[in-house]
């Protein structure tokens, strides 16, 4: 029985926070890891190659790829270089491609996996924010499943199992931890340090998503992600701040019955569910002890202070390339903040200005998304200079 679930996986972004946790799950389930990829962290990738013995390893940074080739010359792993190498891993013959690359760099590999007919376990939310329409259409055409890894979307996906009549779904309620600055006002946030923004109360994650959680752009991006994954309208999605991150999200049905998925905040549950779907297996994650928490709280988001939420909602309501522009402008602004070149509150300001500067059509091609990415990054840069 177990053999049937010995899946063959390609793990894109294996050196990141999700990637490392996915390898823990893969090890536990004795999955066959066919390929691993990273951007430039070849030290960690080399250790992973020695442990998991993948057929392929891809490094998107060409120089780092060359160095890795030398380091693992004694192994049987073939090292592929550049973004094309990562795409090759996405196209390989596997049961599931887990995309845990951060940012827009995940888009082309997602499309490559779909094109090759591979099931995608998707952590890379930026893929759907930037090009949700194209990605979902390509997946439908190829009859490829996109399985959510993001904890909120996994919760919704779990809650709607066996209830696939979309007409029964009235509303999705995404929970948000609120990040490290919930309760603070703009005047207190003007000069926050990178260090304090990186201190997430409940989750340990990569730097970009941790800052996105502090600005609450993360929840805005997740709203857009949910629109595409579950084929609902933006107005059918509500956001509730839930500081404990125990209720991972909820679905309200036509009769006002609400189903939720709960668990301790640990990404290994949604990662494993996406990799073993539709089966469930034991996991190393701690059991939920509700009495340990005592009380679970729910509050309204502060839309005025954390502008990211409203900007993302506007972008998806406007449609076309506006979500792509917001996604790329946020990615650029988030990085500038991490480099100390932009203030915390300025992140939302430059993203909003970029959205306002864009002229978009409703129907778009992949090239339009890539052009919008370039436009948005340049626009953010130009705003910083002035
Ligand atoms: P991370 O920064 O820890 O890891 C990112 C991975 O992507 C690394 O392996 C890195 O080498 C690779 N990468 C970076 N730039 C690349 C490029 N240009 N080309 C190819 N590969 C590149 O990020 P993370 O926290 O693991 O998040 C990954 C994705 O999962 C993000 O989209 C994030 O929003 C989503 N996600 C993460 C969490 C979490 O708990 N970390 C939860 C939900 C969703
Ligand atoms: Mg999430």
């Amino acid at each position: 029985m177990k053999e049937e679930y010995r899946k063959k996986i390609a793990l894109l972004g294996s050196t990141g926070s999700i990637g490392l946790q996915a390898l823990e799950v893969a090890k536990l389930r004795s999955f066959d890891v066919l390929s691993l990829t990273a951007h430039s962290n070849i030290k960690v990738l080399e250790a992973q190659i020695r442990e998991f013995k993948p057929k392929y390893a891809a490094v998107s940074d060409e120089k780092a790829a060359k160095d890795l080739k030398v380091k693992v010359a004694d192994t049987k792993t073939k090292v592929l270089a550049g973004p094309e190498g990562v795409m090759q891993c996405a196209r390989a013959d596997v049961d599931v491609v887990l995309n845990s690359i951060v940012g827009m760099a995940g888009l082309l590999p997602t499309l490559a996996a779909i094109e090759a007919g591979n099931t995608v376990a998707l952590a890379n939310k930026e893929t759907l924010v930037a090009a949700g329409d194209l990605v979902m259409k390509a997946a439908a055409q190829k009859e490829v499943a996109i399985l959510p890894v993001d904890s909120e979307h996994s919760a919704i996906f779990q809650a709607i199992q066996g209830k696939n009549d979309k007409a029964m779904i009235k509303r999705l309620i995404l929970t948000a931890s609120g990040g490290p600055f919930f309760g603070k006002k703009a005047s207190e946030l003007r000069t926050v340090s990178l260090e304090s923004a990186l201190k997430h109360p409940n989750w340990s994650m990569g730097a970009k998503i941790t800052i996105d959680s502090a600005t609450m752009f993360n929840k805005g991006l997740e709203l857009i992600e949910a629109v595409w994954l579950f084929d609902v309208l933006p107005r059918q999605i509500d956001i509730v701040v839930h500081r404990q991150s125990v209720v991972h999200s909820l679905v309200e049905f036509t009769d006002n019955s609400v189903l939720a998925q709960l668990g301790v905040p640990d990404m290994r549950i949604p990662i494993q569910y996406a990799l073993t779907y539709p089966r469930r297996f034991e996991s190393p994650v701690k059991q939920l002890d509700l009495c340990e928490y005592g009380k679970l709280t729910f509050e309204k988001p502060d839309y005025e202070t954390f502008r990211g939420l409203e900007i993302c909602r506007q972008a998806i309501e406007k449609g076309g390339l506006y979500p792509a522009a917001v996604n790329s402008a946020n990615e650029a602004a988030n990085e500038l903040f991490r480099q100390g070149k932009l203030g915390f509150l300025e992140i939302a300001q430059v993203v909003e200005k970029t959205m306002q500067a864009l002229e978009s059509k409703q129907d778009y091609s992949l090239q339009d998304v890539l052009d919008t990415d370039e436009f948005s990054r340049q626009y953010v840069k130009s705003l910083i200079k002035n």
Side-chain angles (χ1 to χ4, degrees), residues 71-332:
K71 284 184 191 296
V72 299
D74 61 314
T75 71
K76 288 192 178 129
T77 299
K78 183 165 182 215
V79 176
L80 307 168
E84 182 48 39
V86 178
M87 307 261 284
Q88 251 175 279
C89 292
R91 287 190 208 105
D93 179 20
V94 289
D95 297 313
V96 53
V97 174
L98 171 53
N99 185 349
S100 55
I101 291 172
V102 63
M104 261 298 277
L107 175 59
L108 295 179
T110 300
L111 289 170
I114 295 171
E115 208 46 48
N118 284 331
T119 296
V120 180
L122 191 64
N124 177 256
K125 64 192 80 184
E126 294 90 350
T127 281
L128 285 177
V129 177
D133 190 32
L134 298 180
V135 171
M136 295 315 284
K137 275 187 186 145
Q141 202 193 1
K142 288 276 176 184
E143 297 181 24
V144 160
I146 309 276
L147 304 170
V149 171
D150 215 344
S151 58
E152 297 76 3
H153 306 75
S154 175
I156 292 166
F157 185 61
Q158 293 183 51
I160 62 173
Q161 287 309 303
K163 306 170 194 67
N164 290 331
D165 178 2
K166 221 197 86 207
M168 294 193 298
I169 298 172
K170 191 162 132 193
R171 186 167 63 124
L172 305 181
I173 305 164
L174 295 182
T175 52
S177 72
F181 302 139
F182 181 71
K184 292 205 187 308
K185 292 288 163 204
S187 56
E188 301 168 83
L189 294 177
R190 208 150 283 140
T191 56
V192 294
S193 66
L194 175 60
E195 200 193 359
S196 58
L198 283 173
K199 272 198 193 123
H200 195 280
N202 304 334
W203 301 96
S204 159
M205 311 180 284
K208 192 233 170 205
I209 183 175
T210 306
I211 299 304
D212 281 346
S213 299
T215 58
M216 291 200 74
F217 263 103
N218 183 49
K219 211 50 56 181
L221 301 179
E222 290 184 354
L223 186 154
I224 301 174
E225 186 186 8
V227 165
W228 293 115
L229 278 174
F230 305 111
D231 192 19
V232 294
L233 296 168
R235 64 167 180 272
Q236 287 177 278
I237 306 175
D238 278 345
I239 291 162
V240 171
V241 174
H242 165 48
R243 298 294 278 159
Q244 299 79 19
S245 299
V246 166
V247 179
H248 296 306
S249 277
L250 313 90
V251 183
E252 181 181 83
F253 296 92
T254 26
D255 58 357
N256 287 348
S257 175
V258 178
L259 292 189
Q261 184 259 343
L262 285 73
V264 296
D266 191 316
M267 286 306 294
R268 289 173 299 178
I269 290 183
I271 292 169
Q272 175 167 298
Y273 189 67
L275 293 178
T276 63
Y277 174 79
R279 295 284 307 268
R280 288 183 191 272
F281 293 91
E282 277 172 26
S283 101
V285 175
K286 203 172 113 168
Q287 268 182 306
L288 174 64
D289 177 358
L290 281 171
C291 296
E292 199 180 284
Y293 286 89
K295 133 171 122 177
L296 300 178
T297 59
F298 302 93
E299 298 162 78
K300 282 205 172 95
D302 174 353
Y303 291 99
E304 244 172 72
T305 307
F306 299 94
R307 296 273 308 134
L309 283 173
E310 198 46 39
I311 293 169
C312 288
R313 191 181 281 282
Q314 276 176 22
I316 187 67
E317 272 167 1
K318 281 154 81 90
L321 292 158
Y322 290 104
V326 163
N327 182 59
S328 296
N330 175 57
E331 204 169 313

